[in-house]
Amino acid sequence: MSTDPFQQLDPAQKVKVLPRHLAGPGPISPQTAWPFPFDKDWSLHQPEEKTTFATSPCLRLWTSLVLEPDQPRKGTWTIAAHRVPFGPASWQITLDATTPVELLHDLHTELLDLYLEDRHSHLDWLHKDEIAPHEAYAPLFARGWSHQVKTDGTQIFLAPDGLGGIRHRYATIGPDKPAWRVWGGYPSEPHWQARFSSGTPTPLVAAFTASLISTEPVHRAVQDVPSHTRRHLYVAAPAPAKQTTTGPLPVAPPPQSPGPGRSL
């Protein structure tokens, strides 16, 4: 008996699958991942092919997708915040292009919410984090994730299938080491991974982990589900034949200056 739940399905058929961390990236596009109001005050920049930036009106927050020209499935999503426009980044998030797009969308949605709170408050929500780290990992226990505390100042959470995990550095860390690392697949050979630097607001990490363990299935075409994770996936139900698509992103104006700096 085959362990591939997709063997009898048409490659073009749409299905709903779980768990999310093994479902594959889905469409790798800013159109799907970014909820920003480009028709109002956010700006879109496309300085070159395979490179797209979005910047907030205050120019203190930006996010990007940079794909490798010859390998469209390889690239990096990056989010960074600055205390002053174009200054050094106070925190940064990097994610592989193969990260499931639903996780990216939920992360960017929380980013926009945090930005709006910051904009209409006397508190600096983008740089002053008063939320305890456990807000980001406490929900994992209800989903059966294991927990191990190490003597090197880290704690590790593993998915029930062993093919996803979160590493949190709770002790003092250097600027070259991420405070949070999340991955799908085996730790030594992840299908995708995300890194959150020290200083990243906990609500962003919490939004990402909440999306990671969500029981809401994700939509995929059978042919887009990675062959190496199929036997670990659960097919929830066929998705509706007609899918709703979002409109295209606005055409970016010709670049007037290089994109924001990417260094920490």
Side-chain angles (χ1 to χ4, degrees):
M1 182 177 178
S2 172
T3 58
D4 182 352
F6 304 89
Q7 187 175 37
Q8 304 301 322
L9 302 179
D10 185 280
Q13 181 175 340
K14 301 288 187 178
V15 292
K16 295 195 290 186
V17 298
L18 285 170
R20 291 183 165 199
H21 61 276
L22 300 177
I28 303 176
S29 70
Q31 172 185 338
T32 309
W34 290 347
F36 307 124
F38 292 110
D39 58 336
K40 294 182 180 179
D41 50 5
W42 280 66
S43 300
L44 180 71
H45 310 275
Q46 294 171 314
E48 57 188 48
E49 187 179 5
K50 304 294 185 181
T51 300
T52 309
F53 282 90
T55 56
S56 65
C58 64
L59 301 179
R60 296 192 303 136
L61 188 65
W62 62 268
T63 180
S64 70
L65 171 62
V66 179
L67 296 172
E68 295 186 14
D70 301 326
Q71 302 184 70
R73 286 280 174 176
K74 289 191 175 183
T76 305
W77 297 88
T78 304
I79 301 171
H82 306 253
R83 293 187 181 278
V84 295
F86 309 112
S90 54
W91 55 261
Q92 181 169 290
I93 304 170
T94 59
L95 312 99
D96 292 343
T98 47
T99 303
V101 71
E102 293 80 8
L103 277 61
L104 289 160
H105 181 270
D106 291 346
L107 172 62
H108 284 97
T109 297
E110 180 64 26
L111 179 70
L112 179 58
D113 289 348
L114 204 63
Y115 163 76
L116 293 174
E117 287 187 51
D118 179 83
R119 186 177 181 181
H120 297 100
S121 171
H122 66 283
L123 299 176
D124 191 351
W125 290 103
L126 291 173
H127 301 95
K128 186 178 181 180
D129 188 9
E130 297 182 348
I131 307 300
H134 75 264
E135 295 287 343
Y137 61 74
L140 300 173
F141 299 123
R143 294 284 184 264
W145 285 53
S146 65
H147 179 216
Q148 181 181 12
V149 179
K150 293 183 169 289
T151 57
D152 63 355
T154 65
Q155 54 183 339
I156 296 177
F157 306 86
L158 292 177
D161 55 25
L163 297 176
I166 299 172
R167 179 173 182 172
H168 172 226
R169 291 184 178 275
Y170 59 85
T172 303
I173 61 174
D176 58 331
K177 294 182 178 180
W180 301 85
R181 175 176 171 260
V182 188
W183 68 89
Y186 291 108
S188 58
E189 295 182 273
H191 309 317
W192 61 267
Q193 56 185 327
R195 296 181 175 90
F196 299 75
S197 77
S198 175
T200 300
T202 299
L204 294 179
V205 185
F208 191 80
T209 57
S211 184
L212 176 71
I213 63 174
S214 171
T215 57
E216 178 67 26
V218 297
H219 293 194
R220 295 288 185 270
V222 169
Q223 60 195 3
D224 294 332
V225 177
S227 58
H228 49 274
T229 64
R230 290 187 172 194
R231 66 188 182 89
H232 300 286
L233 286 168
Y234 168 70
V235 181
K242 185 177 181 180
Q243 299 294 314
T244 301
T245 57
T246 57
L249 290 173
V251 176
Q256 297 180 358
S257 61
R262 294 168 60 85
S263 60
L264 270 173

